[in-house]
Amino acid sequence: MGSPSKHLVIVAGEASGDLHASHLVEAIKRLDPSITFSGLGGPKMKAGGVDLYQDLTKMAVVGFWEVLKHYKDIKRAFRLILEKIDAKGADAVILVDYPGFNLRLARELKKRNIKVIYYISPQVWAWKEKRVYFIKENVDKMLVLFQFEKDFYAHFGVDVLFVGHPLVDTVHVHTPKEALLERKGLSKDKLTIGILPGSREREIETLLPIMLETAKILSQEFPQVQFLVIKAPTIAQSSIEKYLQKTSLTCRIVEGNIYDGINASDLCMVASGTATLETAILQKPMVVVYKTSLLTWILAKLFVRIENIGLVNVVAGERIVPECIQFQATGQGIAKELRTIITDELKIADIKASLKVVKESLGTGGASQRAAKEILRAVYG
């Protein structure tokens, strides 16, 4: 691409951002092996060749109160990245999701006249819509994963490109359903419900007991049901096992390739977030579950401007799968929604058809490559 070689700084703050950032780095290096990277992120970015100043994913939190508890650590990381950029410079900085941190960083970078590229948009369309004006002023290029995001930003005159969703390339099943169930000592003839309680320890503490209560209720109503707890790689197995030890349910843990676990399930209960899209890509009917601290919930109710909170429903533009949110996130509430799916084959067919449309809306693959080309065009242009 020319000389001298360029140096890019990249910042991601959660496990999903770390994953997508690592794929982006890999795609950029394939196009231009001379480019070097440094920044804040997680183990996947480090393994991909990023000179990591600090593992920011260890501070991944959700909610107002949770952020306050980690404020000092987050502030130190913020100062650190600016000190490194001031000392070493950067041809561009790529910000990956993590808006509370990265939008503030964008403002400081703009003061330094450093090119800012944002990959994976903050959900400004859901709340704090006025942030779009901040983004227009402080971000040089938005690379977004959803078509509706492109339309939203374009309406405000932001330089934006829809690249598609990288999950289209990463969601792959390696073990057939029957083989996985046999390996876990489960029956291929029973109804299998997947439990996806989240990728953060706090989510496990909050949601897994509720989901297991749901499982207990359903097992009493439907004797031919069994359960898989699909463990995110960021969660220790002991964090799951301590809850399973308290139940007599037929329930097994799936670790490693979570997509094998989702594929082996007939339907799922899923913590709100990226996992709802992963489940949608595999076209498994689901109930979306979300619960947070009361303070965070009250603040969210004041600012959130969209009817649906589950990302799969947001992308669909309508509620295609049920949501059990906050006070509805109880064993009885979730069981009620799952029951309506289990007992209605037409409803299952309708949900699967809608999930197929969502999958198709995410693009045809190659999101990381498209984003990489656009970044290099911006850096060398």
Side-chain angles (χ1 to χ4, degrees):
M1 300 294 296
S3 58
S5 62
K6 302 291 186 178
H7 180 73
L8 304 182
V9 172
I10 185 165
V11 181
E14 297 184 339
S16 61
D18 180 41
L19 174 65
H20 297 319
S22 69
H23 292 156
L24 180 61
V25 168
E26 180 184 343
I28 292 172
K29 285 188 171 185
R30 280 200 300 268
L31 295 172
D32 185 354
S34 72
I35 284 188
T36 57
F37 289 87
S38 64
L40 300 173
K44 293 188 182 300
M45 286 170 58
K46 184 176 182 179
V50 178
D51 178 14
L52 213 62
Y53 303 138
Q54 184 176 330
D55 188 341
L56 201 57
T57 64
K58 291 181 179 178
M59 292 184 281
V61 290
V62 173
F64 178 77
W65 178 247
E66 291 82 358
V67 170
L68 279 183
K69 289 191 290 185
H70 291 269
Y71 177 73
K72 289 184 179 179
D73 293 331
I74 294 171
K75 190 173 181 179
R76 275 194 293 268
F78 191 85
R79 287 199 301 263
L80 174 63
I81 190 68
L82 285 175
E83 288 169 2
K84 293 291 186 180
I85 291 172
D86 289 340
K88 298 184 178 181
D91 292 290
V93 177
I94 305 167
L95 306 177
V96 183
D97 201 2
Y98 206 54
F101 187 98
N102 277 336
L103 287 178
R104 288 176 174 83
L105 182 58
R107 179 171 53 199
E108 294 301 318
L109 296 171
K110 197 66 175 179
K111 293 176 184 177
R112 291 160 170 79
N113 200 32
I114 294 174
K115 187 167 293 185
V116 177
I117 302 164
Y118 214 117
Y119 179 56
I120 306 181
S121 169
Q123 294 180 356
V124 293
W125 34 265
W127 68 306
K128 293 189 176 181
E129 188 175 289
K130 290 182 179 179
R131 277 186 173 183
V132 70
Y133 300 107
F134 178 93
I135 289 172
K136 184 177 180 180
E137 182 179 347
N138 294 287
V139 175
D140 295 284
K141 187 80 178 186
M142 290 295 302
L143 303 176
V144 299
L145 310 188
F146 307 110
Q147 180 63 46
F148 76 86
E149 290 180 322
K150 178 186 175 182
D151 298 339
F152 172 82
Y153 280 112
H155 174 74
F156 290 97
V158 177
D159 187 357
V160 60
L161 177 70
F162 166 59
V163 297
H165 206 295
L167 281 178
V168 175
D169 294 316
T170 58
V171 175
H172 296 296
V173 174
H174 299 293
T175 306
K177 176 179 179 177
E178 291 76 11
L180 186 136
L181 292 176
E182 183 179 1
R183 183 187 302 169
K184 295 296 178 181
L186 299 177
S187 170
K188 64 181 178 63
D189 298 319
K190 288 188 175 183
L191 180 74
T192 304
I193 298 179
I195 299 174
L196 289 86
S199 59
R200 304 179 184 90
E201 290 290 343
R202 181 63 178 166
E203 288 178 316
I204 303 304
E205 294 170 6
T206 303
L207 298 181
L208 185 54
I210 296 171
M211 291 176 166
L212 291 177
E213 176 63 22
T214 303
K216 180 180 178 181
I217 293 169
L218 291 176
S219 66
Q220 292 170 348
E221 296 181 32
F222 304 96
Q224 292 296 102
V225 69
Q226 57 193 7
F227 302 90
L228 291 171
V229 177
I230 301 165
K231 184 184 78 66
T234 50
I235 300 299
Q237 179 140 334
S238 59
S239 297
I240 304 292
E241 288 176 340
K242 70 179 181 181
Y243 293 104
L244 294 187
Q245 289 169 359
K246 302 174 184 178
T247 179
S248 58
L249 292 167
T250 302
C251 197
R252 303 287 186 268
I253 298 174
V254 177
E255 56 181 339
N257 189 343
I258 66 171
Y259 306 130
D260 288 349
I262 297 172
N263 182 65
S265 304
D266 296 298
L267 65 160
C268 301
M269 42 183 136
V270 189
S272 180
T274 303
T276 67
L277 282 187
E278 294 169 322
T279 307
I281 289 172
L282 292 168
Q283 294 177 54
K284 299 295 179 177
M286 74 190 89
V287 173
V288 178
V289 183
Y290 178 81
K291 189 171 186 177
T292 187
S293 68
L294 183 59
L295 176 59
T296 298
W297 176 248
I298 292 171
L299 290 172
K301 290 294 288 182
L302 290 174
F303 295 107
V304 171
R305 300 176 181 274
I306 55 177
E307 294 182 7
N308 299 308
I309 195 171
L311 192 52
V312 61
N313 289 331
V314 173
V315 174
E318 60 179 321
R319 184 165 296 192
I320 61 173
V321 298
E323 297 186 358
C324 289
I325 308 302
Q326 200 65 15
F327 305 113
Q328 286 72 46
T330 64
Q332 289 289 353
I334 301 167
K336 178 182 177 182
E337 297 294 352
L338 284 170
R339 191 183 301 116
T340 63
I341 298 174
I342 293 170
T343 58
D344 191 339
E345 291 186 5
L346 288 178
K347 188 176 184 68
I348 291 174
D350 286 343
I351 291 175
K352 286 187 174 183
S354 297
L355 293 177
K356 183 179 180 182
V357 173
V358 168
K359 177 182 178 180
E360 291 170 349
S361 75
L362 300 180
T364 57
S368 298
Q369 289 80 2
R370 278 189 289 277
K373 288 178 181 178
E374 189 62 27
I375 288 168
L376 290 182
R377 188 176 293 115
V379 169
Y380 285 98

